[in-house]
Amino acid sequence: MKFSHYNLKVRHEGKLILYNTMYKNIAEFDPEHARYLEELTQNGLIPKDIKQQEVLGFLVEQLFVVEDYVNELASFQLGYNRSLFGSGVLHHTILTNLSCNLDCPYCFEDKTGDFMSIETADAYIEWLKPQLRNASKLYVTWYGGEPLLNKRVIHCITKKILPLQTEYGFEYSAGIVTNGVLLTKTFTDLASQLHICGVQITLDGDHDDHNRYRCLRKDHAGTFDTILDNLAYFCQNVYSDTANILRVNITDQNYDGIPDLLGRIPQVVKEKSMLLLRWIYSSKNGRTPNTEFSAEKRGKSPYTNLAPLYELADSLGFVTNSMDEGRTYNFCECDFDGEFLIDQDGDLFMCTHCMDKSESVGNVRGGFSTQRDALRYANFISQNPFDDRECLACKLLPLCKGGCRKARFLGKKACTDAKSDTKSYVLQKYYKALEGVVV
């Protein structure tokens, strides 16, 4: 037997907290049992008395200790490859336009004002059909700009996808990333017809902070109340088999107001949404290039100031699965073969974070337009953490799954914020595990 490579130990108030990043198990050891655990560590997992045997039995049961033959990294790599290449799921992010009704200072997109045409929507359907032969599911994310500025294309494409389910035998569902201003009751009442079962909406802090960041482009009016009311109505009236996402952007300016924000979120949103807390990072693109919005609070240890906010959110009844719980293998939607972003012109991209035409790998009117494009896609999709010695040794690999695929494609590496402060990370999981096993 051996200790799992993915165990993290944290001392807290005289107790020992053990958390496993691979299996997501957590346990609290009082001082006496922590001593038995240390003795087992020193003795090479050979128990000397009944107490040590009890502790060892628990460690084996919870996979803190595994058999010698177990190759945990190989197991993770198998799951990673199956998720990437064998899911049978097509995930297409469709950018209905590059226009927006808001004027957020940190936005990285270049708002050209271009809209997807019905002709391009039809070309997408024709490009899609051959891919459906081997697909078990098609999931579309409506994206922008603000996608609801072009509802005509959403209705058009959905109307043409639905009959194809009978012909090809796949399951179809959709989600939408929207600022929420146009997520009106009228549109929400149509969501089931459009097979939209999930929404992602962002708030930029509490009421006043949000309205400074996320104001209407036309008159700089605030949007907080409208967005929150629309999200609550969506959560109340749309059945979702996947959690909606409430993303809260955090900056130096709005950080102190986040507790007040969490206190005013309606109960139905808490119950039907997953809360993500995210720092705003500077971008070289957009309206305010290279502006730092959260340098002071984020600091050199980005998770340290996130942890108390997550702990508060947990105590208030939020679902705070921060994309690292459960045994999943994808960092984001880009981690699937067959995932594309289709922009308003029908150009194909490998990532949603930048739609620079130089990064296109083809168009729906012709697929991969050149061998070079196909090679670029193959290089992008084959990026993985298993060629990186630092990742192979890292105990947090099951949390970040190697991080951002595009960053790795560009020769960079984006480690999880939790790596900067693993103690705060483990303690946040500890506080969340109200029914955690105590040895």
Side-chain angles (χ1 to χ4, degrees):
M1 306 291 287
K2 62 184 178 182
F3 281 103
S4 168
H5 174 72
Y6 299 101
N7 291 338
L8 297 176
K9 290 183 182 180
V10 168
R11 296 281 181 179
H12 179 63
E13 296 180 349
K15 300 174 182 178
L16 176 67
I17 311 300
L18 192 60
Y19 179 69
N20 188 283
T21 62
M22 175 76 81
Y23 313 111
K24 310 304 187 291
N25 294 330
I26 190 166
E28 171 191 290
F29 296 81
D30 62 27
E32 181 181 14
H33 288 88
R35 178 169 57 83
Y36 298 144
L37 174 59
E38 296 298 341
E39 290 172 351
L40 282 170
T41 303
Q42 296 170 7
N43 295 337
L45 293 175
I46 301 175
K48 297 295 182 66
D49 55 42
I50 189 65
K51 293 294 185 181
Q52 291 183 15
Q53 291 177 14
E54 292 174 356
V55 171
L56 180 58
F58 171 81
L59 294 172
V60 172
E61 178 185 1
Q62 297 297 315
L63 298 177
F64 293 114
V65 167
V66 297
E67 287 83 358
D68 280 335
Y69 70 84
V70 171
N71 186 330
E72 294 178 291
L73 180 62
S75 173
F76 181 79
Q77 187 170 3
L78 176 62
Y80 182 96
N81 288 331
R82 282 176 171 169
S83 176
L84 180 62
F85 296 111
S87 66
V89 177
L90 297 178
H91 187 174
H92 293 164
T93 300
I94 299 179
L95 195 150
T96 69
N97 64 82
L98 266 179
S99 184
C100 191
N101 51 339
L102 301 188
D103 193 25
C104 305
Y106 52 79
C107 184
F108 62 84
E109 290 185 358
D110 182 13
K111 301 299 192 301
T112 63
D114 295 338
F115 279 64
M116 179 177 284
S117 67
I118 296 300
E119 186 272 332
T120 299
D122 290 341
Y124 164 74
I125 294 295
E126 294 307 310
W127 173 77
L128 171 67
K129 287 179 181 178
Q131 302 175 57
L132 295 174
R133 295 191 185 103
N134 298 314
S136 60
K137 182 172 182 177
L138 168 64
Y139 185 84
V140 166
T141 298
W142 302 109
Y143 195 70
E146 170 47 52
L148 292 177
L149 288 172
N150 196 0
K151 294 190 286 289
R152 183 179 69 148
V153 157
I154 295 176
H155 284 276
C156 173
I157 290 178
T158 304
K159 183 179 179 180
K160 294 182 177 182
I161 285 176
L162 294 180
L164 298 177
Q165 293 184 95
T166 302
E167 181 177 353
Y168 293 100
F170 65 95
E171 178 186 350
Y172 174 67
S173 60
I176 186 166
V177 179
T178 170
N179 59 45
V181 174
L182 299 177
L183 190 72
T184 61
K185 293 180 180 179
T186 300
F187 184 82
T188 292
D189 290 341
L190 295 173
S192 60
Q193 297 178 33
L194 297 169
H195 287 232
I196 293 174
C197 59
V199 63
Q200 177 174 316
I201 280 180
T202 299
L203 295 175
D204 280 2
D206 201 18
H207 184 279
D208 292 347
D209 289 322
H210 171 97
N211 286 339
R212 278 192 290 270
Y213 284 109
R214 292 200 159 225
C215 55
L216 291 176
R217 180 179 294 273
K218 65 178 181 179
D219 59 8
H220 287 253
T223 61
F224 182 90
D225 293 330
T226 298
I227 292 172
L228 197 54
D229 288 347
N230 287 346
L231 176 58
Y233 186 82
F234 186 94
C235 289
Q236 188 171 5
N237 290 278
V238 177
Y239 172 76
S240 177
D241 59 358
T242 56
N244 302 307
I245 296 176
L246 172 59
R247 175 178 174 134
V248 175
N249 284 337
I250 301 178
T251 68
D252 293 338
Q253 183 182 37
N254 72 15
Y255 181 88
D256 291 337
I258 299 301
D260 290 334
L261 167 66
L262 297 180
R264 73 164 78 228
I265 301 299
Q267 184 63 29
V268 68
V269 176
K270 292 182 186 179
E271 294 173 352
K272 299 290 185 67
S273 303
M274 178 172 64
L275 177 69
L276 299 182
L277 303 175
R278 295 291 187 262
W279 297 112
I280 295 179
Y281 285 81
S282 64
S283 172
K284 66 179 181 180
N285 303 305
R287 186 160 68 82
T288 54
N290 300 317
T291 300
E292 292 287 355
F293 291 92
S294 54
E296 181 180 345
K297 289 292 185 181
R298 189 178 74 239
K300 295 182 180 180
S301 180
Y303 200 81
T304 300
N305 281 330
L306 287 185
L309 297 180
Y310 270 121
E311 290 165 14
L312 174 62
D314 291 334
S315 71
L316 293 173
F318 283 89
V319 177
T320 60
N321 182 335
S322 53
M323 311 301 276
D324 58 9
E325 298 180 359
R327 200 166 183 188
T328 59
Y329 300 95
N330 60 298
F331 173 76
C332 78
E333 66 276 2
C334 295
D335 291 335
F336 299 98
D337 183 26
E339 187 281 335
F340 289 98
L341 178 135
I342 299 93
D343 80 354
Q344 75 283 353
D345 297 322
D347 286 327
L348 304 173
F349 296 87
M350 301 174 288
C351 177
T352 62
H353 196 265
C354 181
M355 281 72 75
D356 188 308
K357 293 296 188 180
S358 66
E359 296 187 7
S360 170
V361 291
N363 188 281
V364 294
R365 293 169 179 83
F368 293 121
S369 58
T370 66
Q371 289 184 335
R372 177 180 174 276
D373 290 336
L375 289 171
R376 287 185 71 235
Y377 178 78
N379 189 30
F380 180 85
I381 206 67
S382 65
Q383 297 296 315
N384 70 80
F386 307 109
D387 299 324
D388 187 319
R389 290 185 178 180
E390 182 181 5
C391 292
L392 294 180
C394 184
K395 294 178 181 292
L396 302 185
L397 177 60
L399 304 182
C400 77
K401 296 93 176 176
C404 173
R405 183 173 295 273
K406 182 176 180 180
R408 196 175 289 276
F409 176 72
L410 296 175
K412 305 174 184 178
K413 184 161 57 180
C415 294
T416 173
D417 285 348
K419 189 172 183 178
S420 66
D421 188 353
T422 55
K423 181 175 183 179
S424 292
Y425 178 82
V426 171
L427 289 180
Q428 187 258 321
K429 299 300 180 187
Y430 167 68
Y431 291 131
K432 183 175 180 179
L434 299 178
E435 298 180 3
V437 180
V438 179
V439 181

